């Protein structure tokens, strides 16, 4: 049961009851459900740190929101998360904010012509904004470009709201942005899928070095997870463990590839997997990385997973 509701305040955005509920209050963390930040878990340490308000809080709110909207996971706000946000330069370009807002509207419809309610007071984290004024400006821009239409203008108390529809031109603009990268098909390994989902999200949700490095790092973790999920010592042979988790993963995967992808007909696949592994490792540790490099990392990692999934599936692996 929620705690005494009259005192509940969101630690991230300071929204108050009844628009925020505290669902659990455990010894080391709490779960909040906020109309602005959506549902998240926060540790006691992080909650204490947040009492000293700082410039990163709007971006933590936006991150929590996106975890709920697009990844269907319960984000956990920890001291490490707060420190990582303080070190990042958030992607606040106009093009990125336009894409975020259009993507949000499009993700909430089942068919063209359907209305989506945008409430300024609650929804400005969608564009990683700090206030309602920013959201209103981008909505007006989308309307001027004829990428959205206003179905109705209304007023919800003191919170101005818009009922909007994405247009065919708006969907076409999104398609143009996203057509380079296609989302992967789920493999039979949930952890691998999770890391590849994270890589895809970082690649397609922003235009900055931090996002692209996160994409490469998630690709690297997907490969490590793939190796751990697929390697079988009895089938693929024994290896000598090293200190590096990634080196162990590469050795496991190499043994699996040699055992499973045999013969001249699969020579190109073996070469591709080896090069793709090198690529993911390189950009997971790169000081700088651009969109094209992150995209190549994602595509090649996805190819590794699909090739191994197909061949282990066909061979009963």
């Amino acid at each position: 049961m929620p705690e005494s509701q009259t005192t509940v305040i969101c630690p991230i955005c300071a929204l108050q009851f009844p628009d925020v509920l505290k669902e659990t209050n455990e010894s080391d963390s709490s779960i909040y459900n906020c109309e602005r930040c959506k549902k998240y878990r926060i540790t006691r340490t992080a909650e204490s740190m947040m009492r000293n308000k700082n410039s990163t809080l709007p971006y933590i709110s936006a991150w929590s929101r996106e975890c709920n909207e697009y990844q269907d996971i319960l984000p956990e706000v920890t001291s490490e998360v707060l420190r990582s946000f303080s070190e990042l330069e958030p992607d606040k370009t106009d093009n990125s904010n336009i894409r975020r807002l259009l993507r949000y509207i499009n993700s909430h419809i089942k068919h063209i012509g359907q209305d989506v309610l945008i409430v300024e007071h609650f929804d400005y984290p969608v564009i990683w904004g700090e206030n309602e004024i920013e959201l209103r400006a981008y909505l007006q821009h989308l309307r001027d470009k004829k990428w959205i239409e206003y179905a109705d203008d209304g007023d919800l108390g003191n919170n101005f709201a818009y009922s909007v529809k994405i247009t065919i031109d708006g969907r076409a603009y999104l398609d143009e942005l996203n057509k380079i990268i296609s989302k992967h098909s789920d493999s039979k390994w949930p952890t691998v899928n999770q890391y590849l989902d994270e890589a895809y999200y970082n690649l397609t949700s922003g235009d900055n070095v931090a996002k692209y490095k996160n994409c490469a790092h998630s690709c690297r973790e997907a490969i490590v997870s793939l190796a751990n999920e697929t390697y079988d010592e009895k089938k693929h042979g024994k290896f000598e463990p090293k200190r590096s988790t990634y080196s162990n993963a590469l050795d496991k995967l190499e043994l699996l590839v040699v055992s499973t992808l045999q013969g001249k007909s699969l020579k190109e696949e073996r070469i591709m997997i080896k090069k793709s592994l090198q690529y993911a490792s390189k950009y997971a540790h790169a000081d700088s990385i651009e969109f094209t490099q992150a995209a190549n990392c994602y595509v090649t990692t996805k190819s590794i997973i699909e090739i191994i999934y197909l061949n282990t599936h066909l061979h009963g692996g």
Side-chain angles (χ1 to χ4, degrees):
M1 292 293 292
E3 294 185 342
S4 123
Q5 302 297 358
T6 55
T7 61
V8 175
I9 298 175
C10 174
I12 299 176
C13 73
L15 203 60
Q16 299 184 25
F17 173 81
D19 297 318
V20 58
L21 301 177
K22 193 171 186 179
E23 296 192 350
T24 65
N25 188 17
E26 300 166 359
S27 59
D28 59 346
S29 65
S30 298
I31 295 177
Y32 289 85
N33 200 339
C34 172
E35 281 290 340
R36 192 180 284 148
C37 308
K38 300 305 179 184
K39 195 171 185 177
Y40 62 91
R41 181 186 296 277
I42 183 169
T43 64
R44 287 281 180 270
T45 302
E47 193 164 351
S48 177
M49 292 169 66
M50 280 184 164
R51 294 193 182 104
N52 299 318
K53 301 297 183 184
N54 60 69
S55 60
T56 65
L57 295 188
Y59 309 123
I60 297 168
S61 177
W63 166 73
S64 175
R65 176 98 178 211
E66 289 186 352
C67 288
N68 280 268
E69 296 282 357
Y70 304 119
Q71 300 184 65
D72 194 28
I73 62 174
L74 180 69
E76 183 172 19
V77 183
T78 65
S79 57
E80 288 77 15
V81 168
L82 298 185
R83 280 191 285 268
S84 68
F85 269 91
S86 69
E87 296 169 359
L88 293 178
E89 183 66 30
D91 176 22
K92 289 277 291 176
T93 63
D94 289 336
N95 285 338
S96 294
N97 287 338
I98 288 166
R99 182 173 64 228
R100 288 184 182 117
L101 185 51
L102 266 183
R103 182 181 63 159
Y104 174 79
I105 296 169
N106 192 54
S107 70
H108 282 71
I109 64 172
K110 294 182 179 179
H111 55 78
I112 196 74
Q114 186 175 345
D115 295 355
V116 177
L117 183 66
I118 304 290
V119 182
E120 288 182 354
H121 186 60
F122 295 143
D123 292 333
Y124 62 80
V126 168
I127 59 161
W128 288 58
E130 297 185 38
N131 55 56
E132 295 92 330
I133 297 172
E134 292 182 72
L135 177 60
R136 191 181 309 144
Y138 284 110
L139 282 168
Q140 185 60 49
H141 176 77
L142 295 184
R143 187 182 188 187
D144 292 344
K145 297 288 288 186
K146 300 188 185 305
W147 290 338
I148 64 169
E149 297 174 346
Y150 288 0
D152 185 27
D153 290 342
D155 200 329
L156 301 181
N158 295 321
N159 309 325
F160 203 75
Y162 304 88
S163 185
V164 304
K165 298 178 180 180
I166 191 169
T167 64
I168 292 175
D169 287 344
R171 300 248 292 205
Y173 177 74
L174 275 181
D175 289 342
E176 186 68 22
L177 289 174
N178 295 329
K179 69 180 182 181
I180 300 173
I181 307 298
S182 61
K183 197 171 187 298
H184 70 97
S185 300
D186 285 347
S187 72
K188 62 182 178 180
W189 306 295
T191 307
V192 176
N193 295 335
Q194 178 183 339
Y195 283 122
L196 206 55
D197 279 339
E198 291 174 3
Y200 177 83
Y201 164 74
N202 280 294
L203 180 62
T204 58
S205 66
D207 296 305
N208 65 13
V209 171
K211 289 279 187 180
Y212 302 148
K213 288 183 73 172
N214 286 342
C215 172
H217 178 75
S218 294
C219 288
R220 178 182 180 275
E221 293 305 308
I223 292 171
V224 171
S225 181
L226 176 69
N228 292 331
E229 292 281 0
T230 55
Y231 171 75
D232 184 330
E233 184 177 316
K234 293 181 180 178
K235 292 181 180 179
H236 308 128
K238 191 173 183 179
F239 76 101
E240 291 297 327
K242 301 182 176 72
R243 293 185 64 184
S244 165
T245 302
Y246 189 64
S247 295
N248 288 337
L250 297 189
D251 288 348
K252 289 178 180 179
L253 213 49
E254 184 175 358
L255 288 169
L256 180 142
V257 168
V258 170
S259 301
T260 306
L261 307 180
Q262 297 179 346
K264 291 183 178 179
S265 62
L266 294 175
K267 179 180 178 181
E268 294 300 323
E269 282 83 351
R270 292 196 297 273
I271 293 173
M272 178 182 177
I273 289 174
K274 184 175 181 179
K275 289 183 177 179
S276 298
L277 290 170
Q278 294 170 345
Y279 204 79
S281 181
K282 174 182 177 180
Y283 286 112
H285 300 288
D287 292 331
S288 181
I289 178 172
E290 298 177 355
F291 171 79
T292 301
Q293 295 164 332
N296 286 339
C297 189
Y298 170 78
V299 170
T300 54
T301 301
K302 183 177 72 166
S303 297
I304 292 176
I305 294 166
E306 290 173 347
I307 289 170
I308 291 179
Y309 172 74
L310 176 63
N311 283 275
T312 56
H313 181 71
L314 288 175
H315 291 85

